[in-house]
Amino acid sequence: MSDMNRYHRQMLFQGIGQEGQAQLLSKHVLIIGCGALGSSSAEILIRAGVGKITIIDRDYVEWTNLQRQHLFTEEDVHEQTPKAIAAARKLKKINSGINIHAVVMDATVENLTSYVQNADIVIDATDNFDTRFLINDLAHKYRKPWIFGACVGSSGMTFTIIPGQTPCLDCLLKVTPMFGATCDAVGVIGPAVQMVVTHQTTEALKLLVEAKSKINSKLIIFDLWNNHYQTIDVSRAKRANCSSCGVEPTYPSLTYHGRTKTEVLCGRDTVQIRGKQYSLKMLESKLTQYGEVQANPFLVSVDIDEKRLVFFQDGRTFVHGTHSIEDAKKLYYQIVG
């Protein structure tokens, strides 16, 4: 058990108190994505004394992350450390009494289901709507509250989704336009990230200590640079015939059988290929014929001409330097056979 004195100031806060702190220490939060939103959310919740945090992320630390993604350092970039692993190492130094589970993997139905089932709440820290729709369906199927969050430029939005009570993400999209631009296209500033994180983690704390009357039922949208802030009542957006949260849900994201094995990562000039799992040691040896190889216990990478291939332990490969799935697959199969 952690030394409770470290939470003294938090327990003085009437909304949490000693009873709320005990609840926090007994709860499990699943954070999907460990970039800007995920790393900051994890740090706040670890410091707050949430008993168990599971962090899932498929990526590794790069230079462009350091401007806004907390917990990461230049050393992580040089070592190509997976984000979930890098975050967990730092978080352990912040609060050694907390159970931190770092998972390096892509979020798919097959590997995400059990994590959602075993969590008390889910925090969305992803950068694409395919994964968010997956979270939405899993959360509703297993009756888990989840907190949507997104930011780009100086703008952001958040919404707390409670199965059976609030509109789901699919309902929300029917009435509210979402960001069309991406961070890679128009950039993002750190304060916008932190504003989203502030709302997400505050809502998480309310849910975890069961302060139901304090949950924010409105969609929050802001633009810090242009001094805009609004809350929108979206309660009427909930649809009885919604395929995710309606009377007879079919959970389309869970039953879709045509999931792609390749995809272009949002704005990254990178293609991800989900392939066969290979021994990293074998790949490290094989790749030396193509160029200088970098390796750690989680991945192996090599630069070939103007492209970089990164092979992960779970069978995924990033092909950087192209947005052509055909070109990426051609290079991939040239190497792995």
Side-chain angles (χ1 to χ4, degrees):
M1 177 65 70
S2 300
D3 180 6
M4 294 295 283
N5 188 55
R6 72 186 297 154
Y7 309 117
H8 178 254
R9 300 298 188 274
Q10 186 165 275
M11 289 189 292
L12 288 177
F13 174 63
Q14 189 175 8
I16 294 180
Q18 290 189 351
E19 183 179 341
Q21 189 61 54
Q23 286 180 298
L24 291 177
L25 287 163
S26 70
K27 295 297 176 66
H28 177 195
V29 175
L30 171 62
I31 300 175
I32 302 176
C34 192
L37 296 178
S39 58
S40 291
S41 293
E43 180 176 350
I44 288 175
L45 296 178
I46 284 291
R47 291 184 185 278
V50 174
K52 182 177 181 179
I53 304 283
T54 296
I55 304 168
I56 294 176
D57 193 276
R58 66 183 179 182
D59 212 345
Y60 61 95
V61 184
E62 298 182 275
W63 283 110
T64 56
N65 303 150
L66 300 182
Q67 165 256 340
R68 69 199 178 282
Q69 298 187 14
H70 284 208
L71 302 177
F72 305 139
T73 65
E74 293 182 1
E75 183 181 5
D76 295 321
V77 176
H78 291 304
E79 295 180 355
Q80 294 186 330
T81 310
K83 291 182 179 179
I85 301 301
R89 288 172 179 170
K90 310 300 189 309
L91 294 169
K92 276 292 185 185
K93 294 179 180 179
I94 293 171
N95 193 342
S96 60
I98 299 302
N99 184 350
I100 303 166
H101 185 39
V103 187
V104 183
M105 71 177 192
D106 203 11
T108 65
V109 173
E110 292 78 14
N111 57 27
L112 197 59
T113 299
S114 62
Y115 289 102
V116 173
Q117 285 180 289
N118 292 319
D120 291 296
I121 66 170
V122 180
I123 292 182
D124 160 40
T126 64
D127 61 0
N128 67 87
F129 275 90
D130 286 342
T131 305
R132 289 186 178 116
F133 282 126
L134 174 56
I135 295 170
N136 189 56
D137 278 358
L138 284 173
H140 280 83
K141 181 175 182 178
Y142 297 108
R143 315 298 286 180
K144 304 291 184 178
W146 73 283
I147 307 167
F148 161 73
C151 59
V152 64
S154 60
S155 302
M157 58 174 58
T158 66
F159 184 62
T160 302
I161 299 173
I162 303 177
Q165 297 181 34
T166 69
C168 75
L169 181 64
D170 193 45
C171 292
L172 210 59
L173 286 173
K174 296 290 191 293
V175 300
T176 307
M178 295 291 170
F179 301 132
T182 67
C183 296
D184 301 277
V186 302
V188 63
I189 58 172
V193 172
Q194 294 308 309
M195 179 67 86
V196 173
V197 169
T198 295
H199 284 291
Q200 284 189 296
T201 52
T202 302
E203 290 298 291
L205 291 174
K206 294 175 188 176
L207 288 166
L208 294 171
V209 302
E210 300 177 15
K212 298 178 182 178
S213 65
K214 300 296 183 181
I215 301 298
N216 192 336
S217 62
K218 297 181 179 180
L219 172 68
I220 296 170
I221 302 177
F222 65 83
D223 182 339
L224 295 178
W225 202 259
N226 294 300
N227 307 309
H228 296 156
Y229 187 96
Q230 64 182 134
T231 58
I232 304 172
D233 184 350
V234 293
S235 57
R236 296 178 65 181
K238 185 169 173 56
R239 297 175 296 122
N241 64 346
C242 175
S243 59
S244 294
C245 73
V247 178
E248 297 181 352
T250 57
Y251 308 119
S253 293
L254 310 187
T255 56
Y256 178 57
H257 298 296
R259 299 185 194 100
T260 57
K261 295 299 181 184
T262 57
E263 63 177 308
V264 180
L265 300 189
C266 178
R268 293 277 300 279
D269 198 27
T270 298
V271 173
Q272 174 178 262
I273 299 172
R274 294 183 193 140
K276 180 181 176 182
Q277 284 182 273
Y278 294 96
S279 160
L280 293 185
K281 283 291 185 184
M282 180 275 289
L283 284 170
E284 184 178 356
S285 175
K286 186 174 184 178
L287 293 173
T288 54
Q289 64 183 294
Y290 297 100
E292 184 178 350
V293 176
Q294 280 189 272
N296 62 42
F298 312 100
L299 58 85
V300 176
S301 70
V302 64
D303 291 328
I304 302 177
D305 296 326
E306 296 181 356
K307 296 182 177 64
R308 184 169 80 230
L309 282 81
V310 182
F311 295 84
F312 291 86
Q313 204 170 32
D314 63 357
R316 291 178 299 115
T317 301
F318 285 177
V319 182
H320 295 289
T322 181
H323 56 265
S324 166
I325 289 176
E326 183 179 351
D327 288 349
K329 290 174 71 175
K330 181 178 179 181
L331 182 56
Y332 172 80
Y333 286 118
Q334 174 186 328
I335 291 174
V336 301

